[in-house]
Amino acid sequence: MEPELTNHPISGEPLPIATPAATMVIFRANPDGGAPLLLMVERVKAMAFAGGAAVFPGGKVDPADFDYAQMLGGPLPLDEAAARLAAIRETIEEAGLALGLSGVSDAANCIDARAALHDGESLQAVCNRFGWVPDFEQLVPWSRWRPPAHENASRVFDTRFYLVDAGDTMPLATVDQTENRMLFWATAGEVLEKADRDEVKIIFPTRRNMERLAMFGDFDAAAAHAAEHPVSTVLTFVEQRGDGSWLCIPDGHGYPVLGEPLGVAMRG
Protein backbone atom coordinates (compact mmCIF):
# COMPACT_ATOMS: atom_id res chain seq x y z
CA MET A 1 0.00 0.00 0.00
CA GLU A 2 1.27 3.48 -0.86
CA PRO A 3 2.47 5.40 2.23
CA GLU A 4 0.51 8.48 3.24
CA LEU A 5 1.94 11.54 1.53
CA THR A 6 2.56 14.62 3.64
CA ASN A 7 5.10 16.51 1.52
CA HIS A 8 5.59 16.96 -2.20
CA PRO A 9 8.44 14.64 -3.29
CA ILE A 10 9.86 17.25 -5.70
CA SER A 11 9.32 20.61 -3.98
CA GLY A 12 9.28 19.30 -0.41
CA GLU A 13 6.34 21.59 0.37
CA PRO A 14 3.62 20.35 2.73
CA LEU A 15 0.61 18.95 0.89
CA PRO A 16 -2.81 20.41 1.70
CA ILE A 17 -5.49 18.10 3.06
CA ALA A 18 -7.32 16.52 0.13
CA THR A 19 -10.87 15.19 -0.14
CA PRO A 20 -10.98 11.55 -1.33
CA ALA A 21 -12.77 11.10 -4.64
CA ALA A 22 -13.19 8.42 -7.32
CA THR A 23 -14.07 8.30 -10.99
CA MET A 24 -14.99 5.59 -13.49
CA VAL A 25 -13.55 5.37 -17.01
CA ILE A 26 -16.22 3.36 -18.84
CA PHE A 27 -15.25 1.51 -22.02
CA ARG A 28 -17.60 0.02 -24.55
CA ALA A 29 -16.84 -1.56 -27.89
CA ASN A 30 -17.13 0.80 -30.84
CA PRO A 31 -19.97 -0.40 -33.11
CA ASP A 32 -18.12 1.16 -36.05
CA GLY A 33 -14.92 -0.69 -35.17
CA GLY A 34 -11.69 0.93 -34.10
CA ALA A 35 -10.83 2.42 -30.74
CA PRO A 36 -13.24 1.87 -27.84
CA LEU A 37 -15.75 4.52 -26.81
CA LEU A 38 -15.51 6.24 -23.44
CA LEU A 39 -18.33 7.90 -21.52
CA MET A 40 -17.91 11.61 -20.77
CA VAL A 41 -20.20 13.91 -18.82
CA GLU A 42 -20.13 17.67 -19.25
CA ARG A 43 -20.46 19.54 -15.96
CA VAL A 44 -22.67 22.58 -15.66
CA LYS A 45 -20.72 25.83 -15.75
CA ALA A 46 -21.91 26.87 -12.29
CA MET A 47 -20.11 23.95 -10.60
CA ALA A 48 -17.25 25.11 -8.37
CA PHE A 49 -14.94 22.32 -9.53
CA ALA A 50 -14.31 21.81 -13.27
CA GLY A 51 -17.36 23.86 -14.21
CA GLY A 52 -18.18 23.45 -17.91
CA ALA A 53 -15.59 20.70 -18.41
CA ALA A 54 -16.07 17.22 -19.84
CA VAL A 55 -15.02 14.64 -17.25
CA PHE A 56 -15.47 10.97 -16.38
CA PRO A 57 -18.39 10.16 -14.04
CA GLY A 58 -17.33 10.42 -10.43
CA GLY A 59 -17.30 12.43 -7.25
CA LYS A 60 -16.41 12.55 -3.57
CA VAL A 61 -16.15 9.48 -1.36
CA ASP A 62 -18.91 9.80 1.24
CA PRO A 63 -18.83 8.59 4.86
CA ALA A 64 -21.51 6.04 3.91
CA ASP A 65 -19.08 4.58 1.35
CA PHE A 66 -16.59 3.92 4.14
CA ASP A 67 -19.34 2.39 6.28
CA TYR A 68 -20.38 0.06 3.47
CA ALA A 69 -16.77 -0.88 2.74
CA GLN A 70 -16.20 -1.72 6.39
CA MET A 71 -19.33 -3.86 6.46
CA LEU A 72 -18.29 -5.75 3.32
CA GLY A 73 -14.78 -6.47 4.60
CA GLY A 74 -12.44 -8.26 2.23
CA PRO A 75 -8.78 -7.97 1.28
CA LEU A 76 -8.80 -4.38 0.01
CA PRO A 77 -7.73 -1.53 2.33
CA LEU A 78 -10.73 0.39 3.63
CA ASP A 79 -9.95 3.57 1.70
CA GLU A 80 -9.53 1.62 -1.55
CA ALA A 81 -12.82 -0.27 -1.12
CA ALA A 82 -14.65 2.94 -0.20
CA ALA A 83 -13.28 4.67 -3.32
CA ARG A 84 -14.51 1.85 -5.57
CA LEU A 85 -17.95 2.03 -3.96
CA ALA A 86 -17.98 5.80 -4.55
CA ALA A 87 -17.15 5.28 -8.24
CA ILE A 88 -20.01 2.78 -8.54
CA ARG A 89 -22.46 5.05 -6.72
CA GLU A 90 -21.52 8.22 -8.58
CA THR A 91 -21.85 6.47 -11.95
CA ILE A 92 -25.40 5.42 -11.08
CA GLU A 93 -26.18 8.97 -9.95
CA GLU A 94 -24.57 10.80 -12.86
CA ALA A 95 -25.10 8.43 -15.79
CA GLY A 96 -27.81 5.98 -14.71
CA LEU A 97 -25.47 3.02 -15.24
CA ALA A 98 -25.05 0.28 -12.61
CA LEU A 99 -21.53 -1.02 -13.29
CA GLY A 100 -19.10 -2.77 -10.99
CA LEU A 101 -21.98 -4.77 -9.52
CA SER A 102 -23.13 -8.36 -9.88
CA GLY A 103 -26.81 -9.27 -10.00
CA VAL A 104 -27.92 -6.34 -12.17
CA SER A 105 -30.42 -7.75 -14.65
CA ASP A 106 -33.28 -5.26 -14.93
CA ALA A 107 -32.52 -1.85 -16.44
CA ALA A 108 -35.63 -0.46 -14.77
CA ASN A 109 -33.97 -1.05 -11.40
CA CYS A 110 -31.20 1.33 -12.41
CA ILE A 111 -33.77 4.10 -12.82
CA ASP A 112 -35.22 3.41 -9.38
CA ALA A 113 -31.76 3.08 -7.83
CA ARG A 114 -30.70 6.41 -9.27
CA ALA A 115 -33.79 8.14 -7.90
CA ALA A 116 -33.19 6.60 -4.48
CA LEU A 117 -29.57 7.75 -4.40
CA HIS A 118 -30.59 11.27 -5.41
CA ASP A 119 -33.10 11.20 -2.54
CA GLY A 120 -30.29 10.45 -0.09
CA GLU A 121 -30.54 6.67 0.21
CA SER A 122 -27.21 4.91 0.62
CA LEU A 123 -25.67 2.59 -1.95
CA GLN A 124 -25.76 -0.15 0.65
CA ALA A 125 -29.53 0.18 1.04
CA VAL A 126 -30.00 0.27 -2.73
CA CYS A 127 -27.90 -2.87 -3.24
CA ASN A 128 -29.76 -4.68 -0.48
CA ARG A 129 -33.10 -3.80 -2.06
CA PHE A 130 -32.24 -5.04 -5.55
CA GLY A 131 -29.98 -7.93 -4.62
CA TRP A 132 -26.87 -6.30 -6.09
CA VAL A 133 -23.39 -7.13 -4.81
CA PRO A 134 -20.34 -4.91 -5.40
CA ASP A 135 -17.82 -6.71 -7.60
CA PHE A 136 -14.57 -4.86 -7.03
CA GLU A 137 -12.72 -7.03 -9.53
CA GLN A 138 -14.61 -5.29 -12.35
CA LEU A 139 -12.85 -2.02 -11.48
CA VAL A 140 -9.26 -1.91 -12.74
CA PRO A 141 -7.08 0.62 -10.88
CA TRP A 142 -5.74 3.08 -13.45
CA SER A 143 -4.33 6.11 -11.67
CA ARG A 144 -4.56 8.42 -8.69
CA TRP A 145 -4.21 12.19 -8.96
CA ARG A 146 -3.72 14.77 -6.24
CA PRO A 147 -2.75 18.39 -6.93
CA PRO A 148 -0.22 19.78 -4.45
CA ALA A 149 -2.02 23.10 -4.04
CA HIS A 150 -4.97 25.09 -5.28
CA GLU A 151 -6.16 28.65 -5.07
CA ASN A 152 -9.06 27.29 -2.99
CA ALA A 153 -7.80 24.63 -0.57
CA SER A 154 -11.35 23.35 -0.04
CA ARG A 155 -11.32 21.95 -3.61
CA VAL A 156 -8.22 19.75 -3.47
CA PHE A 157 -9.21 16.20 -4.39
CA ASP A 158 -7.31 12.94 -4.08
CA THR A 159 -8.97 11.13 -7.00
CA ARG A 160 -8.65 7.46 -7.92
CA PHE A 161 -9.44 6.44 -11.49
CA TYR A 162 -10.83 3.01 -12.39
CA LEU A 163 -11.33 1.34 -15.77
CA VAL A 164 -14.59 -0.58 -16.28
CA ASP A 165 -15.57 -2.61 -19.33
CA ALA A 166 -19.19 -2.35 -20.51
CA GLY A 167 -18.34 -4.80 -23.30
CA ASP A 168 -20.16 -4.73 -26.63
CA THR A 169 -23.50 -3.73 -25.11
CA MET A 170 -25.16 -0.39 -25.75
CA PRO A 171 -25.71 0.82 -22.17
CA LEU A 172 -28.40 3.48 -21.91
CA ALA A 173 -26.62 6.35 -20.22
CA THR A 174 -28.68 9.43 -19.40
CA VAL A 175 -27.52 12.73 -17.94
CA ASP A 176 -28.63 13.63 -14.41
CA GLN A 177 -29.41 17.29 -15.28
CA THR A 178 -28.12 18.41 -11.86
CA GLU A 179 -24.32 18.55 -11.78
CA ASN A 180 -24.05 17.69 -15.48
CA ARG A 181 -25.74 19.17 -18.55
CA MET A 182 -24.98 16.49 -21.16
CA LEU A 183 -23.09 13.27 -21.79
CA PHE A 184 -21.56 11.62 -24.84
CA TRP A 185 -19.58 8.57 -25.96
CA ALA A 186 -16.35 9.16 -27.89
CA THR A 187 -12.93 7.64 -28.40
CA ALA A 188 -10.06 9.16 -26.46
CA GLY A 189 -8.69 10.57 -29.72
CA GLU A 190 -12.03 12.17 -30.55
CA VAL A 191 -12.20 13.84 -27.13
CA LEU A 192 -8.75 15.31 -27.66
CA GLU A 193 -9.75 16.54 -31.12
CA LYS A 194 -12.93 18.10 -29.72
CA ALA A 195 -10.88 19.85 -27.05
CA ASP A 196 -8.37 21.14 -29.61
CA ARG A 197 -11.29 22.58 -31.63
CA ASP A 198 -12.67 24.10 -28.41
CA GLU A 199 -15.87 22.06 -28.75
CA VAL A 200 -15.37 20.70 -25.22
CA LYS A 201 -13.16 21.74 -22.34
CA ILE A 202 -10.98 19.24 -20.50
CA ILE A 203 -8.91 19.91 -17.40
CA PHE A 204 -5.23 19.00 -17.14
CA PRO A 205 -5.70 15.51 -15.57
CA THR A 206 -8.38 14.58 -18.11
CA ARG A 207 -6.17 15.58 -21.04
CA ARG A 208 -3.23 13.56 -19.71
CA ASN A 209 -5.49 10.55 -19.18
CA MET A 210 -7.01 10.88 -22.65
CA GLU A 211 -3.54 10.90 -24.19
CA ARG A 212 -2.71 7.73 -22.28
CA LEU A 213 -6.03 6.02 -23.09
CA ALA A 214 -5.61 6.87 -26.77
CA MET A 215 -2.65 4.48 -26.87
CA PHE A 216 -4.89 1.40 -26.69
CA GLY A 217 -7.20 -0.31 -29.15
CA ASP A 218 -9.36 -2.09 -26.58
CA PHE A 219 -10.09 -2.49 -22.90
CA ASP A 220 -7.81 -5.49 -22.42
CA ALA A 221 -4.80 -3.61 -23.74
CA ALA A 222 -5.49 -0.68 -21.40
CA ALA A 223 -5.98 -3.03 -18.44
CA ALA A 224 -2.71 -4.83 -19.23
CA HIS A 225 -0.90 -1.48 -19.36
CA ALA A 226 -2.43 -0.55 -16.00
CA ALA A 227 -1.12 -3.79 -14.50
CA GLU A 228 2.37 -2.88 -15.71
CA HIS A 229 2.17 0.50 -13.94
CA PRO A 230 1.03 -0.05 -10.33
CA VAL A 231 -0.89 2.99 -9.12
CA SER A 232 0.99 5.61 -7.15
CA THR A 233 -0.14 9.16 -6.60
CA VAL A 234 0.45 11.56 -9.49
CA LEU A 235 1.52 14.92 -8.07
CA THR A 236 1.70 17.87 -10.43
CA PHE A 237 4.46 20.46 -10.22
CA VAL A 238 5.42 23.67 -12.02
CA GLU A 239 8.69 23.65 -13.94
CA GLN A 240 10.44 26.75 -15.24
CA ARG A 241 11.65 26.31 -18.82
CA GLY A 242 13.17 28.57 -21.43
CA ASP A 243 9.72 29.31 -22.86
CA GLY A 244 8.05 29.93 -19.51
CA SER A 245 6.26 27.96 -16.78
CA TRP A 246 5.00 24.44 -17.48
CA LEU A 247 2.54 22.36 -15.49
CA CYS A 248 4.06 18.88 -15.30
CA ILE A 249 3.75 15.39 -13.89
CA PRO A 250 6.62 13.01 -13.09
CA ASP A 251 7.59 10.23 -15.48
CA GLY A 252 6.95 6.61 -14.57
CA HIS A 253 3.16 6.62 -14.26
CA GLY A 254 2.53 5.44 -17.83
CA TYR A 255 1.65 8.81 -19.39
CA PRO A 256 3.06 9.66 -22.83
CA VAL A 257 2.84 13.45 -22.33
CA LEU A 258 4.22 14.92 -19.11
CA GLY A 259 3.26 18.57 -19.29
CA GLU A 260 1.95 21.62 -21.08
CA PRO A 261 2.47 25.38 -20.74
CA LEU A 262 0.90 26.62 -17.54
CA GLY A 263 -0.83 29.46 -19.35
CA VAL A 264 -2.95 27.13 -21.50
CA ALA A 265 -3.51 24.30 -19.00
CA MET A 266 -7.10 24.15 -17.74
CA ARG A 267 -7.16 23.47 -14.03
CA GLY A 268 -10.10 22.37 -11.90
Side-chain angles (χ1 to χ4, degrees), residues 96-228:
L97 298 178
L99 300 171
L101 298 161
S102 61
V104 180
S105 58
D106 188 346
N109 288 343
C110 297
I111 298 173
D112 294 337
R114 183 187 209 175
L117 290 171
H118 278 295
D119 286 341
E121 197 167 330
S122 70
L123 178 63
Q124 180 177 352
V126 168
C127 286
N128 289 342
R129 186 195 309 177
F130 296 115
W132 298 345
V133 178
D135 183 357
F136 291 149
E137 293 299 315
Q138 293 185 34
L139 280 70
V140 175
W142 173 252
S143 65
R144 181 176 178 179
W145 282 68
R146 175 178 173 175
H150 196 283
E151 290 79 5
N152 183 343
S154 67
R155 295 203 303 271
V156 175
F157 294 99
D158 178 359
T159 306
R160 304 179 200 222
F161 292 71
Y162 300 98
L163 310 183
V164 177
D165 186 13
D168 58 1
T169 62
M170 182 73 83
L172 180 61
T174 56
V175 72
D176 65 2
Q177 295 292 352
T178 55
E179 296 181 358
N180 307 305
R181 61 176 294 271
M182 64 168 287
L183 54 75
F184 61 93
W185 294 92
T187 69
E190 288 170 344
V191 175
L192 290 169
E193 290 170 1
K194 286 176 178 288
D196 290 343
R197 295 194 298 265
D198 205 28
E199 295 174 6
V200 298
K201 298 184 183 300
I202 53 175
I203 59 176
F204 182 82
T206 306
R207 179 176 283 275
R208 302 286 83 83
N209 277 293
M210 283 299 171
E211 291 159 347
R212 184 180 174 194
L213 290 162
M215 295 164 56
F216 310 107
D218 56 34
F219 176 85
D220 289 342
H225 174 80
E228 294 168 358

Side-chain angles (χ1 to χ4, degrees), residues 1-2 21-22 61 65-66 69 75-87 136 139-144 160-162 231:
M1 184 171 63
E2 185 181 16
V61 183
D65 298 319
F66 284 97
L76 291 178
L78 182 63
D79 60 339
E80 175 67 25
R84 297 193 194 199
L85 290 170
F136 291 149
L139 280 70
V140 175
W142 173 252
S143 65
R144 181 176 178 179
R160 304 179 200 222
F161 292 71
Y162 300 98
V231 171

Side-chain angles (χ1 to χ4, degrees), residues 24-44:
M24 190 179 284
V25 183
I26 304 168
F27 284 62
R28 73 174 175 88
N30 193 331
D32 298 325
L37 301 178
L38 308 173
L39 181 64
M40 306 297 295
V41 294
E42 186 174 309
R43 294 171 65 79
V44 297

